[in-house]
């Protein structure tokens, strides 16, 4: 993943504490926008999650501007 993320880790100490052995596990990773996007969508009336999903599926961002649906290139 690339970009700003909120990540939760779990750290497990392995063996003798003086050896410094640890295992690190990622419990959860969420995009930073996971809390911001719903707020901005509600404030602006733009369905940002829907637009993002359509862009990921191949639509151009320009085709999504102020439209209910996006056209594929």
């Amino acid at each position: 993943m690339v970009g700003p993320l909120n990540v939760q880790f779990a750290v497990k100490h392995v063996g003798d504490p003086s050896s410094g052995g640890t295992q690190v596990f990622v419990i959860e990773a969420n995009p930073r926008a996971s809390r911001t996007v719903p707020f901005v969508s509600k404030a602006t009336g733009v369905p940002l999650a829907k637009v993002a999903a359509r862009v990921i599926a191949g639509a151009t961002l320009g085709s999504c501007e102020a439209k209910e649906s996006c056209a594929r290139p």
Side-chain angles (χ1 to χ4, degrees), residues 28-70:
E28 181 179 28
N30 296 307
R32 291 289 306 252
S34 65
R35 295 184 186 134
T36 306
V37 169
F39 173 77
V40 173
S41 289
K42 188 171 186 176
T44 62
V46 176
L48 294 175
K50 182 185 284 188
V51 170
R54 290 186 174 152
V55 169
I56 289 169
T60 63
L61 189 57
S63 72
C64 296
E65 189 175 333
K67 296 179 183 175
E68 182 60 29
S69 63
C70 307

